[in-house]
Amino acid sequence: MTIHTSLGRRNFLVSSAAVAGGFSLGFHVPFLDDGEANAQAVKELNAWVVIHPDDKVVIRIARSEMGQGTLTGLCQLVAEELECDWNKVTWEYPTPGENLARNRVWKNFSTGGSRGIRESNQYVREGGAMAREMLIAAAASQWKVPAAECSVANGVITHKDKKLTYGAVAAAAAQLEPPKEVKLKDPKDWKIAGKPLKRLDTVDKVTGKQIYGMDYTMPGMLVATVRACPVIGGKLKSFDAAKAEKMPGVKKILAIDGNAVVVVADTYWHAQSALAAVTSEWDVGELGKVQQATINASLKEGLDATEAFVGNKAGDAKAAIAGAAKKVEATYNFPYQHHVTMEPMNATARYTADKCEVWCGTQNGEAALAAASEASGLPVGKCDVYKLLLGGGFGRRGRSDYVRQAVLVAKEMPGTPIKLIWSREEDMTHCQYHPITMAKLTGGLDAQGNLVGLQIRISGQSILASLLPQNLQNGMDPVVFQGLMQSGVEAAYGYELPNLLVDHAMRNPHITAGFWRGVNVNQNAVYMECFMDELAAAAGQDPLAFRLKYLKPKWAAVLKAACDKAGYGKPLPEGHFHGISQVMGYGSYVAGVAEVSVSPDGTLKIHKITAATNPGHVVNPAQIERQVAGSFVYGLSAALYGEITVKDGVVEQTNFDSYNVMRIDEMPQVETVLVPTHDFWGGVGEPTIAVAAPAVLNAIAKATGKRVRNLPLMNQDLKKGA
Amino acid sequence: MAVLNVNGKALDHNAEPDTPLLWVLREQLGLTGTKYGCGISQCGSCTVHVDGVATRSCGVPVSAVADKKIVTVEALAANGTLNKIQQAWVALDVPQCGYCQSGMVMAATALLAANPKPTDADIDAAMTNICRCGTYQQVREAIHAAAKA
Ligand code: FES
Ligand code: FES
């Protein structure tokens, strides 16, 4: 284990983890060996910036790093305004408890909806700029010259022939009043932000040193594992631990929350082996009778139900379609999906009568803190959460169910740290799944092939109803309409149509629904963008030309950029076909062109994807490229294989053998085109996922003449004549 | 007490013989660089080298490797110098969340040892590890880069 020393402010922030765990929180701190003694006295310049006498810059990051690169991007933004030396930058997480104690000085910890950078760029840059002004003021006062006469670059302040490094004046600067106002740089002048800099968190990830929640360890720690009722919502009736109790390493076997059995042992392997020997009886009631067919039937009924929530409306779609020369209708479905973060859920908790502490990967430190408080029965002020890097989030770790369980177990064994680990099987069967929906789309074309009316009926599950019912608006879930919304900076519909009706018949099965990377933009883009191709075909028009008749400028521009780069409309190799799609989501405009072939025996090959993104401002183009390529893996895994099904109320898939995902042999070459317009802040971790499936499905339709409307593709026969 | 040859050292452990090598490495020997992802030899997060062969340690009982040489990700860097694969991984910024990357690096290191100039098809066949963040494009580039280095 590497021991990274605790330093000054950070000592305060993460002392429990560093001291009790005897290891670092996983920051990469390359030059820690010197300056430890004087570092103890280092005072922050503000909540975001700490500068050490040796010029080391510590930037505080409130959002969670789960692979998406937000940590590096946020550091770039702060460093840009701070004008420090990028090579001296390191980072640390403040804790949610600290945030609370300091009147939420770091604001939102929640990391989802591709918001990490776009929603905090303003205040983190201000933090950097204020610190810079204070450093300059301290140097100016030491030199007794006006601050306005000083210049600064790379962490060095200069006045005529005099120079001082940030480290030399940081202590004095920390005593100064922060400026009331600062002017942020014009992004055109950026030198650190906007550049394809390397991530700050790479080396430990290739040497095995990076500590995730799964790897966290403490002296005296025991390991627990859990089996919750296989039917989500069911209860534990009884369990028999007689055999398991006698097995090696077992310390305690208990029930929690009335719905789960937990074995605590000296190791995970012992806990897991003993849990397998515990027999349990469940009370599942009517839920035990739910079949996938039952769920599908209820959604199907919703497609024609008279009652529905209206999400987007213009003119009179029904009348326009009724009077149209040609009517086109299609029904699509999108099954339940699982996030399958590479690291299964886990958390370590330690409870005593006056403190509850949790070490875990979480996308929402403050929600994890609230969960710790609720489960422990201690006020939030007596709880804290020490965040570790996540082995994947994708929305799954925005929920704190695993934190709650760890705390409940720890509470039964006061003083003993408990690491609760979910097996992959537990993880696969107890998720908040990407919701299941269907959609019926009806379009009316006039004699010239113009789209005169469009109706989209979505039927299916609401995430808000499942997780945040208090956020429903008179029963309506506005999130259902992501990507199809009338307006707004978040996920607005790009087509200008005279007559449109988008509505939602809510049907909520017992399976918990939740946020899954890309959320509802994903299936809404499948519905809309595949149907646009169907309409174009019915109109006898090219899918790109057909779309461009209706797309608003920003949406059109990004689609054209992708098509230009891909050579859309130009000859392709024999048997290769292009499919296109576009969407606006998470503030960004994205489009994709898929090049596929389908062999006569039905084998699909995705050769290449060309993807264009307009994220407004670009903070790190190299990381955007990686998010875009990764988004295709995520989106195409779902399109090819992703399907969670229910039998007797239980999720049928248990591991990667029954829930397949894409591997490297299926990975197409992804070419990313950035077309930033520099006039807004969009997210990049999610939007591209939504264009993956429709682009490929549209290309398949061209290659085979077959329109696939039911996902995943593995259930479809693409063979000629099949 | 049993002995396991890991990273060139004879290390004692007291796990039952049927304990998967993965959990002996992680929980008895403190080598947490080897990750648990599925436990059923599907994902490759737990890949180690057993006598030089990339092996999924979750599927191997510790008793089966008692007389073998095991190498984990922690030992790839010799005297603080990253191996060729690790260097390429850093140069191309391959990892995202990083959780699968120990296994990726172990599989790629074994591939390059057996086949210094792998083709794309060789990479497809050898690199069956799962990465949910979707780093495959960078993994492929980095293997080619390491082969050229
Ligand atoms: S944990 Fe061994 S292959 Fe997945
Ligand atoms: S880098 Fe996250 S799973 Fe591969």
Side-chain angles (χ1 to χ4, degrees):
Chain A
M1 259 182 259
T2 330
I3 298 186
H4 286 174
T5 46
S6 354
L7 294 164
R9 192 70 199 166
R10 191 178 102 206
N11 188 35
F12 171 39
L13 292 169
V14 299
S15 57
S16 305
V19 174
F23 80 0
S24 84
L25 276 185
F27 326 127
H28 183 57
V29 187
F31 31 77
L32 271 181
D33 296 332
D34 47 9
E36 189 194 348
N38 56 16
Q40 293 304 328
V42 173
K43 189 165 177 271
E44 67 180 31
L45 288 163
N46 58 41
W48 304 100
V49 179
V50 185
I51 295 181
H52 291 259
D54 62 358
D55 293 330
K56 176 158 50 92
V57 177
V58 181
I59 294 173
R60 304 246 178 79
I61 302 296
R63 310 278 177 162
S64 299
E65 177 58 45
M66 47 193 167
Q68 83 281 37
T70 293
L71 149 67
T72 305
L74 288 172
C75 282
Q76 285 178 265
L77 289 170
V78 175
E80 179 66 55
E81 294 294 339
L82 183 58
E83 290 280 2
C84 64
D85 179 352
W86 177 252
N87 294 318
K88 301 218 157 92
V89 168
T90 183
W91 64 280
E92 67 186 15
Y93 280 149
T95 72
E98 253 271 301
N99 198 33
L100 214 61
R102 293 181 64 181
N103 204 14
R104 294 194 82 223
V105 65
W106 289 284
K107 303 191 172 40
N108 201 350
F109 273 51
S110 167
T111 314
S114 301
R115 289 196 191 90
I117 287 177
R118 64 188 170 115
E119 284 191 358
S120 52
N121 73 82
Q122 181 76 18
Y123 55 81
V124 304
R125 285 188 295 153
E126 283 169 3
M130 289 201 182
R132 178 195 67 220
E133 292 304 309
M134 291 158 77
L135 290 157
I136 295 173
S141 120
Q142 190 173 324
W143 290 326
K144 305 203 172 28
V145 301
E149 285 179 10
C150 300
S151 65
V152 61
N154 249 344
V156 180
I157 307 157
T158 306
H159 183 265
K160 297 193 177 137
D161 56 348
K162 293 191 291 287
K163 286 187 189 307
L164 279 170
T165 68
Y166 276 3
V169 293
Q175 308 298 326
L176 301 177
E177 275 293 309
K180 293 258 166 336
E181 253 177 73
V182 281
K183 193 172 166 313
L184 296 181
K185 288 186 186 177
D186 186 325
K188 280 204 295 293
D189 302 325
W190 282 352
K191 294 170 294 197
I192 296 172
K195 302 289 179 262
L197 301 185
K198 292 275 182 301
R199 295 175 66 113
L200 293 171
D201 54 345
T202 295
V203 176
D204 286 354
K205 291 176 177 175
V206 304
T207 57
K209 279 208 190 95
Q210 182 63 54
I211 298 291
Y212 301 87
M214 188 67 83
D215 309 322
Y216 189 76
T217 186
M218 294 172 78
M221 184 183 85
L222 295 176
V223 186
T225 192
V226 62
R227 182 201 298 150
C229 181
V231 176
I232 293 169
K235 296 270 163 257
L236 176 67
K237 217 191 276 173
S238 63
F239 67 95
D240 180 355
K243 184 165 164 230
E245 265 163 6
K246 298 191 200 79
M247 289 175 67
V250 173
K251 307 288 179 191
K252 197 177 178 82
I253 300 179
L254 68 158
I256 53 168
D257 262 342
N259 64 13
V261 189
V262 174
V263 175
V264 184
D266 56 347
T267 64
Y268 173 75
W269 187 250
H270 281 152
Q272 193 54 49
S273 307
L275 185 61
V278 176
T279 55
S280 36
E281 271 193 77
W282 311 99
D283 180 3
V284 298
E286 289 299 302
L287 293 179
K289 296 184 188 145
V290 176
Q291 312 299 341
Q292 190 59 42
T294 334
I295 296 174
N296 295 349
S298 99
L299 264 63
K300 219 165 178 186
E301 175 273 322
L303 289 176
D304 297 307
T306 43
E307 272 187 43
F309 297 108
V310 175
N312 194 352
K313 190 176 185 322
D316 187 342
K318 281 184 193 170
I321 294 165
K326 196 170 192 180
K327 186 174 150 183
V328 183
E329 188 178 289
T331 300
Y332 284 79
N333 84 343
F334 198 88
Y336 281 120
Q337 304 286 328
H338 194 290
H339 309 75
V340 220
T341 59
M342 253 356 271
E343 178 194 15
M345 296 306 111
N346 65 81
T348 298
R350 180 173 57 188
Y351 170 91
T352 61
D354 55 16
K355 187 129 187 89
C356 177
E357 296 162 293
V358 174
W359 294 262
C360 68
T362 168
Q363 287 177 244
N364 192 343
E366 291 183 300
L369 178 66
S373 167
E374 194 185 293
S376 66
L378 294 173
V380 270
K382 292 190 168 186
C383 302
D384 214 344
V385 174
Y386 309 98
K387 297 198 299 176
L388 303 165
L389 291 199
L390 288 70
F394 313 130
R396 175 63 184 88
R397 286 189 162 92
R399 192 167 173 229
S400 305
D401 46 352
Y402 56 98
V403 173
R404 174 182 173 81
Q405 289 184 340
V407 171
L408 288 175
V409 178
K411 199 177 174 185
E412 297 295 319
M413 306 181 82
T416 302
I418 302 288
K419 173 159 69 178
L420 177 91
I421 297 175
W422 289 21
S423 66
R424 174 58 73 196
E425 288 76 10
E426 184 70 13
D427 186 282
M428 191 68 84
T429 49
H430 294 85
C431 183
Q432 75 282 13
Y433 301 85
H434 183 293
I436 185 168
T437 60
M438 294 178 79
K440 183 191 261 188
L441 299 100
T442 318
L445 297 165
D446 69 13
Q448 288 74 44
N450 294 312
L451 182 56
V452 294
L454 176 66
Q455 205 188 334
I456 306 174
R457 161 60 61 87
I458 300 165
S459 173
Q461 197 158 7
S462 149
I463 296 172
L464 293 190
S466 206
L467 291 186
L468 300 159
Q470 68 277 16
N471 291 5
L472 291 171
Q473 298 173 1
N474 294 324
M476 176 169 110
D477 177 352
V479 181
V480 161
F481 301 105
Q482 274 185 312
L484 303 173
M485 288 163 171
Q486 206 155 36
S487 56
V489 297
E490 190 63 34
Y493 192 58
Y495 296 103
E496 231 149 7
L497 298 176
N499 299 296
L500 174 73
L501 176 62
V502 186
D503 60 10
H504 173 221
M506 196 187 289
R507 297 292 180 272
N508 292 324
H510 76 288
I511 297 291
T512 315
F515 299 97
W516 185 97
R517 192 177 181 192
V519 196
N520 292 314
V521 187
N522 295 329
Q523 74 273 18
N524 288 343
V526 170
Y527 303 155
M528 187 61 223
E529 288 301 297
C530 288
F531 194 60
M532 275 313 255
D533 262 43
E534 295 206 57
L535 289 166
Q541 294 173 22
D542 173 78
L544 173 61
F546 187 75
R547 280 175 174 78
L548 291 178
K549 290 199 290 180
Y550 309 107
L551 273 181
K552 297 178 199 167
K554 271 200 166 122
W555 287 255
V558 77
L559 179 58
K560 278 192 273 189
C563 288
D564 284 349
K565 190 75 185 178
Y568 181 82
K570 302 213 178 88
L572 286 171
E574 176 75 26
H576 288 212
F577 295 87
H578 270 158
I580 62 171
S581 68
Q582 64 75 37
V583 81
M584 185 245 187
Y586 305 92
S588 291
Y589 303 79
V590 299
V593 180
E595 181 183 332
V596 316
S597 62
V598 180
S599 69
D601 71 349
T603 308
L604 168 70
K605 170 101 184 137
I606 306 167
H607 300 275
K608 184 172 178 186
I609 304 267
T610 310
T613 305
N614 176 6
H617 291 294
V618 170
V619 176
N620 187 323
Q623 290 312 316
I624 295 179
E625 252 179 61
R626 283 159 179 74
Q627 284 307 296
V628 168
S631 288
F632 280 102
V633 177
Y634 212 70
L636 293 177
S637 282
L640 293 170
Y641 304 112
E643 183 181 36
I644 290 288
T645 53
V646 176
K647 189 174 179 217
D648 300 330
V650 179
V651 166
E652 291 187 275
Q653 291 70 24
T654 54
N655 206 321
F656 287 111
D657 54 348
S658 43
Y659 191 85
N660 198 5
V661 296
M662 196 170 148
R663 288 173 171 78
I664 202 168
D665 60 337
E666 292 174 308
M667 177 73 193
Q669 185 203 344
V670 175
E671 184 173 9
T672 304
V673 194
L674 286 180
V675 283
T677 48
H678 306 289
D679 54 342
F680 62 93
W681 291 83
V684 295
E686 293 170 275
T688 307
I689 295 167
V691 296
V696 167
L697 292 174
N698 287 338
I700 290 173
K702 284 214 214 148
T704 63
K706 261 184 221 173
R707 172 52 62 181
V708 173
R709 301 189 186 91
N710 293 315
L711 291 173
L713 273 160
M714 67 172 178
N715 297 342
Q716 307 296 325
D717 193 349
L718 299 179
K719 206 175 355 191
K720 266 218 164 72
Chain B
M1 219 31 114
V3 180
L4 211 54
N5 182 330
V6 182
N7 298 337
K9 287 185 215 129
L11 300 176
D12 292 333
H13 72 89
N14 56 13
E16 293 78 14
D18 61 346
T19 308
L21 173 60
L22 167 67
W23 295 106
V24 177
L25 293 171
R26 290 182 56 82
E27 300 197 299
Q28 304 261 337
L29 306 178
L31 294 168
T32 55
T34 306
K35 304 299 185 202
Y36 166 62
C38 69
I40 58 163
S41 303
Q42 283 279 323
C43 74
S45 300
C46 65
T47 304
V48 299
H49 296 166
V50 176
D51 285 347
V53 179
T55 304
R56 295 186 172 177
S57 62
C58 68
V60 179
V62 65
S63 54
V65 290
D67 54 353
K68 311 252 194 249
K69 287 200 177 72
I70 296 149
V71 174
T72 70
V73 68
E74 286 90 348
L76 288 188
N79 307 319
T81 306
L82 303 181
N83 81 5
K84 259 178 25 175
I85 284 288
Q86 290 171 309
Q87 286 177 25
W89 248 243
V90 171
L92 288 167
D93 242 1
V94 173
Q96 289 189 25
C97 85
Y99 194 81
C100 73
Q101 297 294 335
S102 299
M104 286 282 185
V105 163
M106 293 306 285
T109 297
L111 167 62
L112 226 55
N115 179 356
K117 297 272 177 241
T119 62
D120 278 338
D122 296 335
I123 292 172
D124 287 348
M127 300 297 294
T128 55
N129 304 44
I130 293 172
C131 173
R132 287 293 285 157
C133 297
T135 61
Y136 300 132
Q137 181 149 315
Q138 286 74 34
V139 165
R140 187 185 301 283
E141 281 171 24
I143 292 173
H144 286 311
K148 282 197 201 101

